């Protein structure tokens, strides 16, 4: 059997869609699940992103009061439930970017080599003030998640042929070095869009419009051009980074 992508819910927030989609209404607030993704059937045990820190932690409390995590959504518990795999078995963690809701639980995966774009880690160390909280900056008196414990870092630059059937695609704009993950399956390619493509609403009539929440609108524009070209050339199916409907699937492609 080929590869498949398993979405795993590890928390929830509520936000107006206007944060993510240009022209969308601010109300009502909708569920914005936090997710990590396990790539099943790859050469190694690969997790994409690992969720935010516990809502009750000092760092967790920096964020929206709507941020919650049910006991079964703890990343280690949720991973085991969805895949049967223990966190210590994870060999690779790909971090699409270093915003708090994507990289907070590296301590749960002590044996993993961790991959992130070089541009992302550089910017996360000294972001513009608008993003201090988003990176859980030292400026708030907390230790950023990526600096909390020894991490086996690997820094990549640009687009990378990562492993047979898996590519890392840099799509900056939402953050300095956000990347998506392209995965070839028996049913064609899928693409984890992370926060560059947070909702299905960011895809209108087949055309991707990247997140309204941006560090650089200009870079996001060119990333959208790049993504739309990729969709045309490969037929890849986008899996948004924060859409509730993603969780209606046990895996991509769906099991038969
Ligand atoms: Zn983000
Ligand atoms: Zn996010």
């Amino acid at each position: 059997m080929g590869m498949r992508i398993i979405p795993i819910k590890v928390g929830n927030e509520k936000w107006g869609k206007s944060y993510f989609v240009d022209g969308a209404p601010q109300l009502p607030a909708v569920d914005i699940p936090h997710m990590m993704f396990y790539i099943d059937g790859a050469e190694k045990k690969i997790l994409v992103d690992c969720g935010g820190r516990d809502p009750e932690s000092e760092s967790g409390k920096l964020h929206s009061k709507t941020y919650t995590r049910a006991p079964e959504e703890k990343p280690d518990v949720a991973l085991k439930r969805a895949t049967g795999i223990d966190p210590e078995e994870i060999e690779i963690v790909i971090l699409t970017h270093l915003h708090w809701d994507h990289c907070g639980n590296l301590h749960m995966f002590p044996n993993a080599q961790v991959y992130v774009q070089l541009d992302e880690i550089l910017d996360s160390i000294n972001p513009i003030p608008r993003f201090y909280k988003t990176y859980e900056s030292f400026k708030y008196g907390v230790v950023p998640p990526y600096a909390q414990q020894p991490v086996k870092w690997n820094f990549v630059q640009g687009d990378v042929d990562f492993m047979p059937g898996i590519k890392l695609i840099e799509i900056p704009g939402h953050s300095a070095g956000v990347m998506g993950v392209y995965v070839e399956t028996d049913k064609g390619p899928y693409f984890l869009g992370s926060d560059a493509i947070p909702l299905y609403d960011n895809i209108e009539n087949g055309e991707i419009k990247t997140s309204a929440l941006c560090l650089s609108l200009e870079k996001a524009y060119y990333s959208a051009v790049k993504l739309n070209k990729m969709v045309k050339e490969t037929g890849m199916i986008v899996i948004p980074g924060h859409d509730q409907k993603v969780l209606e699937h046990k895996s991509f492609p769906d099991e038969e």
Side-chain angles (χ1 to χ4, degrees):
M1 201 172 85
M3 288 190 280
R4 58 193 187 118
I5 299 166
I6 299 173
I8 304 169
K9 187 183 181 193
V10 290
N12 200 71
E13 284 184 275
K14 284 184 185 284
W15 291 99
K17 282 188 179 175
S18 57
Y19 284 96
F20 308 106
V21 185
D22 273 332
Q26 201 179 352
L27 292 171
V30 298
D31 282 319
I32 300 294
H34 291 191
M35 288 183 279
M36 52 189 202
F37 298 88
Y38 181 71
I39 304 179
D40 186 48
E43 275 185 6
K44 297 206 167 182
K45 294 191 173 68
I46 303 177
L47 192 66
V48 178
D49 290 338
C50 61
R53 242 111 43 104
D54 193 283
E56 297 307 319
S57 68
E58 209 184 324
S59 310
K61 283 180 184 160
L62 287 176
H63 306 292
S64 156
K65 295 225 176 342
T66 65
Y67 173 40
T68 55
R69 169 176 290 154
E72 69 274 16
E73 291 169 359
K74 258 189 91 203
D76 47 353
V77 176
L79 175 73
K80 181 81 179 178
R81 247 167 75 125
T83 67
I85 289 169
D86 287 312
E88 296 77 23
E89 292 178 71
I90 293 291
E91 295 169 281
I92 289 174
V93 174
I94 296 169
L95 296 174
T96 60
H97 63 311
L98 294 172
H99 286 172
W100 68 278
D101 53 315
H102 296 259
C103 66
N105 300 293
L106 288 173
H107 59 283
M108 292 181 181
F109 307 97
N111 299 315
Q113 295 285 336
V114 179
Y115 290 79
V116 72
Q117 286 281 335
L118 181 62
D119 283 348
E120 181 68 15
I121 191 130
L122 292 178
D123 192 61
S124 69
I125 292 165
N126 190 26
I128 57 170
R130 163 70 179 81
F131 289 100
Y132 283 168
K133 264 192 199 177
T134 315
Y135 284 109
E136 295 181 350
S137 162
F138 288 110
K139 312 263 184 194
Y140 274 90
V142 297
V143 180
Y146 54 84
Q148 279 221 323
Q149 67 285 315
V151 175
K152 295 171 188 146
W153 287 116
N154 298 267
F155 302 118
V156 299
Q157 286 182 276
D159 298 347
V160 176
D161 282 323
F162 188 64
M163 208 171 267
I166 302 178
K167 292 177 194 186
L168 309 180
I169 306 291
E170 193 181 23
I171 39 174
H174 169 72
S175 71
V178 62
M179 61 182 171
V181 184
Y182 175 96
V183 180
E184 281 166 15
T185 78
D186 291 344
K187 297 266 171 69
Y190 284 79
F191 187 78
L192 291 168
S194 185
D195 287 7
I197 314 169
L199 300 176
Y200 280 113
D201 298 66
N202 291 93
I203 310 167
E204 206 180 282
N205 301 324
E207 196 190 333
I208 294 165
K209 297 189 164 126
T210 46
S211 176
L213 178 60
C214 264
L215 173 65
S216 164
L217 275 174
E218 186 187 16
K219 286 190 175 163
Y221 170 80
Y222 288 109
S223 289
V225 170
K226 175 178 178 175
L227 285 165
N228 282 309
K229 190 162 169 262
M230 279 182 72
V231 169
K232 228 176 234 165
E233 286 173 1
T234 68
M236 69 184 191
I237 294 169
V238 171
I239 303 170
H242 281 289
D243 199 303
Q244 187 68 29
K245 285 199 196 84
V246 167
L247 294 164
E248 291 170 11
H249 299 259
K250 261 198 163 155
S251 69
F252 297 87
D254 287 302
E255 273 173 86
E256 275 157 21

